[in-house]
Amino acid sequence: MLLIFLLFIFKNNIIIIVSIAKNITRPIFPFTAIVGQEEMKLALILNVIDPKIGGVMIMGDRGTGKSTTIRAIADLLPKIEVVEDDICNSHISDSELMTDAVKQKLCQGKNINTVFTKVPMIDLPLGATEDRVCGTIDIEKALTEGIKTFEPGLLAKANRGILYVDEVNLLDDHLVDILLDSAASGWNTVEREGISIRHPSRFVLVGSGNPEEGELRPQLLDRFGMHAEIRTVREPSLRVKIVEQRNKFDSNPQSCLTEFKDQQNKLKSNIINAQRILPKTTIDYDLRVKISEVCGELDVDGLRGDIVTNRAAKAYAAYNSRENVEVEDIKKVIILCLRHRLRKDPLETVDSGSKVKQVVESIFY
């Protein structure tokens, strides 16, 4: 939020008006203050720990806190080190997260300045065009001056962050395809009139929607790593608690942030610790076989279900400060990873998880 202050200075009977612009950070509702919706919160945490899980699709009723929760997880994350004035928030040492321009400077031994910034949280509006999403190349400048001038899109700005698409089930299918391709490969390529530019675009893709407005096609839904299903809270005491929590934040945001500061810091340190442990986390061969047995029994097409379940189970084990995956870790995440992969007919609805749970209980006895 940008506030403009006008300062009136009287000098020699002349009024001089000086404007002072000041950035005021808008407070974000704390993640740990959100009541219920455990599926959604767990899916977001696991994707933050390991973005290679492939993002999360959140489907639920209106007014259930989907947008609030997604913005809260982004605000919770620790600041990241990025190359100063870089369009893609390039990493200073990981080649998979830096632009070709930064790589070239490093090869030439040039000094590169870095700054610490908040994890990018990018909202993709439903009316966005392909150029707005992917970026554009100035063809005229390229042809007349021989200079590749790239105007970055949302995929560049979302690198190393979170890209959120509300009502993703209403977004054009070809844009969903672009988002999923970039999220899976970690790169975005823009080609115009024989001129090609590519840049890193590794982000956590989060989509949300209301099932009453329609589901995504099975082929697109399958490419989301996890699927969280949320429902309106029915228990009166919980509803009252949610309303009170929201009213408390709206009336005095700083007091609410202070109240949950310790819980926020604890969760933040758990996530950082899990990211550190994750590369060392292993899953036994027998457990991997049983995961694939579940996928085969459920007639899950392709191998994405197997891969995502393995990654999510390791992320959950790391989140609990363990380097070895246990059966309970798999049971905790497998429904989130497989329930949306069972739908064969576009007219069918996504299973609530009962089929997955039944097969899991029979195999992981």
Side-chain angles (χ1 to χ4, degrees):
M1 184 185 295
L2 186 66
L3 295 184
I4 307 295
F5 297 93
L6 296 180
L7 180 64
F8 295 87
I9 302 174
F10 294 87
K11 185 176 181 182
N12 298 329
N13 296 324
I14 299 174
I15 300 178
I16 302 173
I17 304 176
V18 181
S19 65
I20 304 172
K22 187 177 181 182
N23 280 311
I24 303 296
T25 304
R26 193 175 178 183
I28 304 292
F29 193 81
F31 187 83
T32 51
I34 295 168
V35 179
Q37 313 300 10
E38 300 304 323
E39 266 196 15
M40 172 171 57
K41 291 194 286 189
L42 177 61
L44 288 171
I45 288 171
L46 295 182
N47 272 274
V48 163
I49 292 170
D50 184 6
K52 290 182 180 179
I53 288 173
V56 56
M57 179 67 184
I58 301 168
M59 293 298 281
D61 302 328
R62 296 180 296 274
T64 46
K66 298 188 290 290
S67 301
T68 299
T69 307
I70 293 158
R71 290 184 175 87
I73 189 72
D75 186 63
L76 172 73
L77 299 175
K79 291 185 176 182
I80 56 174
E81 186 180 15
V82 303
V83 174
E84 192 174 16
D85 299 326
D86 185 81
I87 60 171
C88 297
N89 310 307
S90 288
H91 198 285
I92 189 61
S93 58
D94 189 343
S95 61
E96 289 297 310
L97 297 172
M98 66 173 69
T99 60
D100 292 335
V102 173
K103 290 179 187 175
Q104 190 175 2
K105 287 181 180 178
L106 287 173
C107 290
Q108 293 170 353
K110 292 183 179 179
N111 186 41
I112 297 177
N113 295 325
T114 61
V115 294
F116 282 88
T117 184
K118 295 189 75 170
V119 170
M121 165 68 190
I122 305 299
D123 279 289
L124 191 149
L126 279 179
T129 62
E130 186 174 337
D131 284 348
R132 180 76 182 98
V133 174
C134 299
T136 57
I137 299 171
D138 190 334
I139 299 298
E140 185 178 352
K141 201 166 188 178
L143 294 176
T144 57
E145 301 178 27
I147 301 172
K148 289 185 181 180
T149 304
F150 178 61
E151 181 65 33
L154 297 177
L155 292 180
K157 296 175 182 177
N159 187 39
R160 301 178 65 196
I162 296 173
L163 182 61
Y164 173 47
V165 189
D166 193 12
E167 307 295 350
V168 67
N169 46 335
L170 302 180
L171 194 67
D172 287 342
D173 280 353
H174 81 283
L175 285 181
V176 179
D177 265 327
I178 290 170
L179 297 177
L180 291 167
D181 282 340
S182 294
S185 67
W187 290 88
N188 174 47
T189 303
V190 182
E191 293 187 359
R192 299 288 186 276
E193 306 297 333
I195 299 170
S196 177
I197 290 179
R198 75 166 197 157
H199 64 77
S201 185
R202 192 176 296 279
F203 51 84
V204 176
L205 178 62
V206 181
S208 69
N210 184 348
E212 293 176 1
E213 294 166 342
E215 294 274 5
L216 277 177
R217 288 190 291 114
Q219 296 90 334
L220 294 176
L221 195 57
D222 173 67
R223 295 178 64 184
F224 278 90
M226 305 179 86
H227 184 285
E229 194 175 72
I230 55 177
R231 291 283 177 260
T232 303
V233 176
R234 302 297 177 194
E235 191 178 331
S237 59
L238 275 180
R239 291 173 75 106
V240 170
K241 188 176 180 181
I242 293 168
V243 173
E244 287 177 347
Q245 207 78 279
R246 187 71 227 189
N247 288 338
K248 187 190 298 183
F249 177 78
D250 290 340
S251 60
N252 192 340
Q254 290 307 320
S255 174
C256 186
L257 292 172
T258 302
E259 180 185 344
F260 287 92
K261 185 178 179 180
D262 290 343
Q263 294 180 45
Q264 290 280 98
N265 288 336
K266 184 179 178 182
L267 179 55
K268 186 185 294 187
S269 64
N270 285 347
I271 290 172
I272 294 171
N273 186 53
Q275 290 172 335
R276 182 182 56 81
I277 293 174
L278 184 63
K280 297 180 285 185
T281 307
T282 58
I283 179 168
D284 290 342
Y285 177 77
D286 291 344
L287 293 181
R288 280 180 278 154
V289 169
K290 287 189 175 182
I291 288 172
S292 293
E293 195 177 335
V294 170
C295 293
E297 187 72 24
L298 289 168
D299 193 25
V300 174
D301 291 336
L303 295 173
R304 283 199 186 100
D306 308 57
I307 294 168
V308 169
T309 305
N310 276 271
R311 285 176 176 164
K314 289 200 284 187
Y316 187 72
Y319 180 56
N320 288 282
S321 303
R322 285 184 278 102
E323 294 184 6
N324 293 304
V325 173
E326 299 176 357
V327 172
E328 291 307 312
D329 300 326
I330 298 170
K331 288 183 176 181
K332 189 73 177 178
V333 303
I334 197 166
I335 292 177
L336 292 170
C337 298
L338 297 182
R339 64 148 66 100
H340 57 301
R341 305 180 196 278
L342 309 184
R343 188 161 62 106
K344 308 293 183 183
D345 187 339
L347 298 178
E348 290 180 5
T349 57
V350 174
D351 181 67
S352 63
S354 56
K355 290 180 185 176
V356 180
K357 189 173 182 181
Q358 186 178 354
V359 173
V360 167
E361 290 300 330
S362 66
I363 291 176
F364 288 92
Y365 51 83

